[in-house]
Amino acid sequence: MPERSESESRKLLRRLRDTLAEPGAGQERLDRITHLIADSMQTQVCSIYLFRDDDTLELCATEGLKKESVHKTRMRLGEGLVGRVAKSSTPINTGNAPAEKGFRYMPETGEEIYSSFLGVPIQRLGEKLGVLVVQSKDARQFSDDEVYAIEVVAMVLAEMTELGAFVGEGEALSALHTHPAMFRGTTGQEGTAEGHVWLHEPRVVITNPVGDDPDVERKRLNEAVSQLRVSVDDMISLADGQGAEQREVLEAYRMFAHSRGWIRRMEEDIGRGLSAEAAVEKEQSTARARLETVPDAYLRDRLHDLDDLSNRLLRRLTGQGTDTGAEMPQDPILVARNIGPAELLDYGRRLKGVVLEEGSVGSHAAVVARALAIPLVIHAERITTEALNGDAILVDGDQGIVHLRPEETVSAAFRDKIAMQAAAQSRYASLRDLPATALCGTTIALHMNAGLMADLPSLVGSGAEGVGLFRTELQFLIRNHVPKRSELASIYSGVLDAAKGKRVAFRTLDIGSDKVLPYMKRVEEPNPAMGWRAIRVGLDKPGVMRMQLQALLRAANGRSLTLMFPFITEYSEFRVARQMVLDEVEREKRLGHVLPSALEIGAMLETPSLAYAPDAFFRAVDFISIGGNDLKQFFFAADRENEQVRRRYDVLNGSFLRFIQHIVGRCAENGTPLSFCGEDAGRPVEAICLAALGLRTLSMRPASIGPVKHLIRRIDLTALRALIEAECQADHANVRPAVMDWLATQDV
């Protein structure tokens, strides 16, 4: 067959567009398309396979195979050459198909043994939709231009599938975005919510994939690219002085925007018949498929830059901005690939929940979600390609599961769970003003964690006795520049005002690891969780730390002030940090400012090393707060961002409990007040075990105070301690089974 010229490729696309414009049901259109492609490509066979579920392809239309095999012939992902194309998302072009690895002969289709085989994926921005196949009897490979022509046709088919052009009977021809879908992610913030989807960045829909006049389309593309370049340059100018990392990302944008290869490939696509926006999306999809497979993490990260830049260009070409005119539902659940803390705070408490494709349990978004007390699920892969604005959605932050367009039985069960939780919270409300006193007479102080002024009303409503942890990094994360001392002092003063005399423990700036300031140069580290973070940053950047300490001292304005340093690993770090506080107190005194009426300086114990610090450390600190989340990950050497390992380890492991006992003992010997702060403090079973081992103060999210108090008031901590010690002495690896059996015998 002769080489196909560009005009012939354009002719094929025009014929395809005209065919798609003809009236008819989805099946009729698919049948016409397979006939058209076989005729244009001069092949004996053209077949279209579409996914009927995540793992199964179904023959939905064919020219050249038996018609009765349509909707009956199916194959698994990876099975046969068609399944291989679908699994790898790359074309297979061979002149000797039977000799290819994985070849499968399908006698039910009545096919002869065709030598030539060309299969290309039908996909849209990483979403697999099916496979387009042409076959010939003659033993030859298809030319590059023929492969290109079929790839372009497959892309147009993907766009039209997204628009619902092939809807018909059966699973494979059912409309997209209509079926129930479940996504398993990771818990970012516990809680449950029912609502409707609100997309942070709605997808751009291309309605005209075929261009009529290549000159007009090239002009549209070049004008849009010029505007994009100007906007990127403007963003870089505005970013001057706001941090090297932000500038680095924008420079990557500029590199892509000025890439001659990127522009040339899109212009070539236009020359072969695509519209400007279709050419942009084709290049985006091609680059996606290429970058997703590279082993280099840096290059894979550039995929996000390319996606963002391509989406900006598509919005300019289509006129589809982020404001689509859709009205936010009354019960919005935000769905996004990722989102920054400032953007999430802009939505505020209107949101019922958040679902992200990316993120981490310690990310900025997770910190804000906890502060807003809304459930968050992260790592919900592909949800932004499946969800539509207004879709019904259920978020189970406890299990890290999201149900999109759920069936009624699932919704009913979910509502029952929410109702049970609401009823329990109602019962807990009656305990608000009662102490958390166990049957043995031991009283546990229950405090809450906070990070925003908006959290403080919970101090009264939850029954918390104080704020055991106020995260001060949020005020730094939501700005594009270092906040002023006066701004921070005003915020901290407002926190103390809202606390109405109750104790508030301010944790100094805890950044680094997964919490990087927008205006701070990112340090590339192989293991950021164990790298340059928290107090290490504070001691190496004393100017920022001193400014924050001054703001805290001035905010106190004659009231009591409690502050603690994060991630202290050895006595010398605390000694230097404490001296910085005392130096600032002297400075404030010289300036004539009002000093705090009382000052507590504590440390967070988050690494095993600090538990073995000298007695002098325990006597020097005014209090110690165990940072349970970090301590557990370092104790078990299990990264809490890694789903493969973080759930394997339990706070009720005998070794960990013995370690907690060791810390309790060290503090008791030296008269050092001790508390426990973290997720496990807010889990009732874990909380009572920690209390049984001697911890008398627990700090948790406000919603957990009621359940924890309820359980403490109904058990004997002395009896529970005896049980735990007996289990540990019996060398049982985990005390949870015994504790649960014991609780079953109690009136709880």
Side-chain angles (χ1 to χ4, degrees):
M1 181 178 176
E3 285 286 301
R4 309 181 68 82
S5 68
E6 290 187 5
S7 60
E8 288 174 309
S9 297
R10 294 185 59 79
K11 184 178 178 180
L12 171 58
L13 281 178
R14 283 202 185 96
R15 290 182 66 190
L16 177 62
R17 181 191 59 190
D18 294 342
T19 298
L20 288 168
E22 294 175 12
Q27 187 64 58
E28 292 178 71
R29 286 177 166 172
L30 285 175
D31 291 340
R32 289 199 297 261
I33 289 169
T34 54
H35 175 78
L36 165 66
I37 296 172
D39 179 63
S40 297
M41 298 291 294
Q42 298 176 28
T43 59
Q44 283 78 47
V45 175
C46 175
S47 302
I48 294 175
Y49 298 82
L50 298 176
F51 279 99
R52 60 177 283 114
D53 57 46
D54 290 342
D55 299 309
T56 311
L57 288 153
E58 179 175 296
L59 177 63
C60 290
T62 185
E63 174 77 14
L65 303 182
K66 280 186 177 181
K67 293 297 182 183
E68 51 265 37
S69 64
V70 172
H71 299 304
K72 293 181 181 177
T73 295
R74 295 169 186 167
M75 58 190 66
R76 306 290 289 178
L77 187 67
E79 180 183 7
L81 298 188
V82 174
R84 278 180 56 197
V85 172
K87 186 173 184 178
S88 65
S89 296
T90 55
I92 291 179
N93 178 15
T94 176
N96 187 4
E100 285 288 319
K101 178 182 178 182
F103 173 80
R104 173 189 161 189
Y105 174 62
M106 297 178 292
E108 73 274 13
T109 64
E111 69 174 342
E112 302 176 42
I113 299 296
Y114 294 99
S115 293
S116 299
F117 174 98
L118 171 59
V120 299
I122 302 172
Q123 59 186 356
R124 185 177 186 271
L125 300 180
E127 184 182 10
K128 297 178 180 181
L129 301 173
V131 177
L132 173 61
V133 176
V134 290
Q135 296 170 272
S136 290
K137 291 180 182 178
D138 53 323
R140 67 177 179 84
Q141 280 197 312
F142 291 89
S143 69
D144 290 343
D145 196 52
E146 289 173 317
V147 173
Y148 179 88
I150 290 297
E151 285 183 322
V152 170
V153 169
M155 179 200 165
V156 173
L157 292 179
E159 292 296 334
M160 302 314 293
T161 301
E162 174 77 13
L163 292 171
F166 308 123
V167 175
E169 294 184 9
E171 292 295 320
L173 294 186
S174 61
L176 297 179
H177 315 297
T178 58
H179 290 295
M182 185 184 80
F183 300 85
R184 287 193 178 276
T186 302
T187 297
Q189 164 69 5
E190 296 169 341
T192 53
E194 178 179 14
H196 291 85
V197 169
W198 181 252
L199 291 169
H200 180 55
E201 292 184 334
R203 290 191 306 280
V204 175
V205 179
I206 296 176
T207 57
N208 59 328
V210 181
D212 286 320
D213 186 333
D215 291 333
V216 170
E217 296 302 317
R218 286 193 190 95
K219 183 179 179 182
R220 290 180 62 229
L221 175 69
N222 288 319
E223 286 177 351
V225 168
S226 295
Q227 294 170 2
L228 181 69
R229 287 171 174 170
V230 170
S231 70
V232 171
D233 289 342
D234 288 345
M235 285 190 292
I236 290 175
S237 297
L238 291 172
D240 282 346
Q242 293 187 10
E245 186 194 8
Q246 185 179 359
R247 187 178 179 89
E248 181 183 327
V249 171
L250 293 174
E251 289 290 358
Y253 281 6
R254 179 151 66 183
M255 179 188 72
F256 281 124
H258 287 266
S259 168
R260 292 181 180 178
W262 187 49
I263 306 301
R264 186 191 70 250
R265 289 190 294 273
M266 291 188 291
E267 289 181 334
E268 288 173 353
D269 290 333
I270 289 172
R272 300 209 182 198
L274 292 181
S275 65
E277 44 266 71
V280 173
E281 188 165 287
K282 182 179 184 299
E283 176 58 23
Q284 185 182 4
S285 291
T286 302
R288 245 185 175 278
R290 184 170 63 248
L291 287 173
E292 281 180 339
T293 61
V294 299
D296 190 303
Y298 175 81
L299 290 177
R300 286 200 308 274
D301 283 344
R302 298 285 70 77
L303 174 62
H304 301 317
D305 300 337
L306 178 61
D307 269 346
D308 188 67
L309 197 69
S310 298
N311 289 336
R312 289 172 186 266
L313 187 54
L314 284 170
R315 293 189 192 285
R316 290 182 180 277
L317 286 166
T318 62
Q320 298 175 31
T322 54
D323 183 3
T324 62
E327 187 174 342
M328 182 182 285
Q330 293 295 312
D331 50 1
I333 290 179
L334 188 75
V335 174
R337 191 182 75 193
N338 213 336
I339 189 170
E343 293 172 302
L344 188 50
L345 279 171
D346 284 342
Y347 285 107
R349 295 187 183 274
R350 288 180 294 170
L351 299 178
K352 300 298 182 184
V354 179
V355 182
L356 302 178
E357 288 191 356
E358 300 173 6
S360 65
V361 296
S363 66
H364 308 163
V367 172
V368 174
R370 291 187 195 110
L372 296 175
I374 53 177
L376 166 68
V377 172
I378 57 178
H379 304 153
E381 295 183 5
R382 303 292 185 193
I383 193 168
T384 58
T385 62
E386 179 61 36
L388 295 178
N389 270 340
D391 278 344
I393 185 171
L394 309 174
V395 179
D396 188 339
D398 302 328
Q399 302 296 322
I401 293 174
V402 179
H403 295 278
L404 186 65
R405 300 181 292 269
E407 294 177 342
E408 184 53 37
T409 53
V410 175
S411 296
F414 196 83
R415 289 178 193 130
D416 287 345
K417 178 177 180 178
I418 292 176
M420 290 174 62
Q421 291 175 337
Q425 286 295 336
S426 178
R427 292 197 305 272
Y428 301 145
S430 65
L431 303 176
R432 186 184 65 186
D433 299 324
L434 299 176
T437 302
L439 297 179
C440 56
T442 303
T443 298
I444 307 300
L446 302 183
H447 291 213
M448 61 172 270
N449 301 330
L452 293 169
M453 277 294 296
D455 293 330
L456 273 301
S458 299
L459 188 56
V460 175
S462 66
E465 298 175 45
V467 179
L469 166 66
F470 190 90
R471 307 178 186 93
T472 62
E473 57 270 12
L474 275 177
Q475 287 74 42
F476 288 79
L477 290 170
I478 61 178
R479 288 171 168 78
N480 290 321
H481 55 82
V482 179
K484 295 179 180 178
R485 179 178 57 197
S486 58
E487 292 176 323
L488 292 179
S490 176
I491 291 169
Y492 301 150
S493 179
V495 170
L496 291 171
D497 289 343
K500 299 185 185 305
K502 291 187 176 181
R503 181 177 182 269
V504 178
F506 291 94
R507 182 178 69 187
T508 60
L509 192 58
D510 186 2
I511 56 171
S513 185
D514 50 12
K515 295 194 288 288
V516 180
L517 301 180
Y519 41 86
M520 176 178 141
K521 178 177 174 57
R522 188 183 188 96
V523 178
E524 294 298 330
E525 299 177 281
N527 191 343
M530 301 178 73
W532 194 59
R533 53 172 292 203
I535 193 62
R536 296 168 180 175
V537 177
L539 296 180
D540 289 350
K541 299 282 186 182
V544 175
M545 186 162 161
R546 289 184 185 281
M547 182 269 289
Q548 186 184 27
L549 293 174
Q550 291 164 14
L552 285 163
L553 290 167
R554 293 180 188 183
N557 194 29
R559 293 172 289 191
S560 295
L561 177 64
T562 300
L563 57 87
M564 58 185 177
F565 299 111
F567 209 60
I568 296 290
T569 60
E570 59 182 16
Y571 180 27
S572 61
E573 290 173 335
F574 177 77
R575 193 166 50 223
V576 174
R578 181 175 181 274
Q579 188 58 51
M580 288 177 69
V581 178
L582 299 179
D583 290 345
E584 292 309 315
V585 169
E586 285 301 313
R587 180 178 181 276
E588 293 295 294
K589 185 177 180 179
R590 288 197 303 273
L591 293 173
H593 293 154
V594 180
L595 299 179
S597 58
L599 179 62
E600 288 184 289
I601 306 174
M604 295 200 74
L605 193 156
E606 298 169 275
T607 62
S609 64
L610 198 61
Y612 299 96
D615 287 341
F617 163 73
F618 288 89
R619 290 193 293 268
V621 291
D622 292 320
F623 66 94
I624 288 175
S625 178
I626 295 175
N629 298 341
D630 264 332
L631 182 62
K632 189 164 67 172
Q633 83 165 337
F634 293 127
F635 184 85
F636 290 112
D639 183 356
R640 64 191 182 111
E641 302 288 351
N642 187 335
E643 282 298 293
Q644 289 181 297
V645 298
R646 81 182 188 98
R647 293 186 182 275
R648 294 180 63 169
Y649 300 99
D650 187 355
V651 71
L652 299 190
N653 175 283
S655 298
F656 188 75
L657 293 178
R658 288 191 185 95
F659 184 59
I660 293 295
Q661 280 186 302
H662 171 77
I663 298 170
V664 171
R666 292 293 308 276
C667 289
E669 290 167 5
N670 291 280
T672 310
L674 176 65
S675 64
F676 188 103
C677 172
E679 294 172 4
D680 290 309
R683 295 179 175 134
V685 174
E686 287 84 340
I688 59 173
C689 291
L690 293 170
L693 293 180
L695 282 150
R696 295 294 175 257
T697 303
L698 303 175
S699 189
M700 63 204 72
R701 65 189 184 112
S704 296
I705 290 175
V708 170
K709 183 184 290 187
H710 169 80
L711 189 55
I712 288 174
R713 288 176 57 85
R714 302 179 77 88
I715 64 163
D716 183 327
L717 290 175
T718 304
L720 179 57
R721 180 186 181 98
L723 172 69
I724 293 172
E725 290 180 342
E727 287 294 302
C728 289
Q729 289 173 4
D731 292 330
H732 290 157
N734 193 300
V735 307
R736 186 177 296 277
V739 171
M740 297 307 293
D741 289 343
W742 179 78
L743 283 173
T745 67
Q746 308 298 302
D747 181 21
V748 296

